[in-house]
Amino acid sequence: MSRYVEKIRETKETKVQIKLELDGEGKVEVKTPVPFFNHMLHSMLFYMGADATIVGEDKLGYDDHHIVEDVGITLGQAIREVLGDRRGIRRFSNTVVPMDEALVLVAVDVSGRGYASTTLDLKREKIGDLSTENVAHFFWSFATNAGITLHVRKLDGVNEHHIVEAAFKGAGLALGEACSIQGEEIRSTKGSL
């Protein structure tokens, strides 16, 4: 059973094209005008074990907000679509990722109910061309459109590159496990997600 989807989202501000094979080998290509964001998306999808191509065009180029938000929306919609009724998935997962001095916890529930809480205590305004306020905004845009409950917490760390990278890698690891097929039933006492 292939869990593959293609999504395109186009507005007056951006155009985002995504190809996603959930059960892949971590072959990822990302091209947006925000290099550090590309690096983070690549890390997340690689550790998720997905094969993916993401191409994002920012038509207006004001700043990084629109492209980060619209990639989050489109990737979330792709995940929601490829999971369908979520039959057989593990559903819950969590991981703690150390990256040098940084330590980040990520927990997910692939429940159909979208929510994100991100507490990374970032002080820098930007990392490369990525505004640090858009890290939490990406996770929110992604999780609410995917129908995933996502919690991201910094447990320790001072290097904000390491903290953000641990968050994206942790999201990938937790999502990969939570979306993995464990059987044939829907994992809910209600009988549906």
Side-chain angles (χ1 to χ4, degrees):
M1 174 182 80
S2 176
R3 296 192 291 170
Y4 177 82
V5 68
E6 294 184 20
K7 292 296 281 187
I8 297 176
R9 173 183 168 85
E10 185 164 11
T11 70
K12 292 179 182 178
E13 299 167 339
T14 67
K15 182 176 182 181
V16 178
Q17 301 172 76
I18 294 179
K19 296 178 182 177
L20 176 69
E21 171 62 57
L22 206 54
D23 305 304
E25 300 171 359
K27 295 177 183 174
V28 179
E29 293 180 42
V30 180
K31 184 179 180 185
T32 79
V34 187
F36 186 71
F37 184 49
N38 297 346
H39 177 39
M40 295 302 95
L41 287 171
H42 184 276
S43 292
M44 183 176 111
L45 292 161
F46 174 84
Y47 283 99
M48 194 173 169
D51 290 344
T53 302
I54 298 176
V55 178
E57 174 190 351
D58 186 346
K59 297 178 182 179
L60 302 177
Y62 296 132
D63 65 11
D64 57 322
H65 177 89
H66 293 134
I67 195 68
V68 170
E69 178 178 64
D70 286 355
V71 167
I73 289 169
T74 312
L75 184 57
Q77 291 172 346
I79 293 284
R80 180 184 287 272
E81 185 174 320
V82 81
L83 288 174
D85 68 0
R86 301 164 192 241
R87 183 173 301 280
I89 65 165
R90 181 180 177 122
R91 181 179 167 183
F92 295 100
S93 182
N94 65 79
T95 189
V96 176
V97 175
M99 190 158 179
D100 296 342
E101 88 302 338
L103 190 65
V104 175
L105 172 126
V106 178
V108 299
D109 175 7
V110 185
S111 63
R113 294 179 303 281
Y115 176 80
S117 175
T118 304
T119 307
L120 295 175
D121 192 31
L122 302 173
K123 306 287 189 238
R124 287 171 61 178
E125 184 177 325
K126 289 183 171 242
I127 302 173
D129 289 337
L130 178 65
S131 301
T132 53
E133 69 183 3
N134 285 331
V135 172
H137 189 57
F138 167 78
F139 285 133
W140 177 264
S141 299
F142 169 73
T144 57
N145 282 276
I148 291 169
T149 299
L150 173 66
H151 291 268
V152 182
R153 296 282 181 276
K154 178 182 95 169
L155 303 178
D156 201 0
V158 293
N159 184 306
E160 295 190 351
H161 182 127
H162 293 161
I163 293 163
V164 172
E165 191 165 353
F168 275 86
K169 287 178 176 178
L173 287 165
L175 285 165
E177 185 173 58
C179 293
S180 67
I181 299 295
Q182 301 292 305
E184 297 179 12
E185 301 300 315
I186 293 177
R187 292 197 59 159
S188 171
T189 55
K190 298 174 187 173
S192 68
L193 290 173

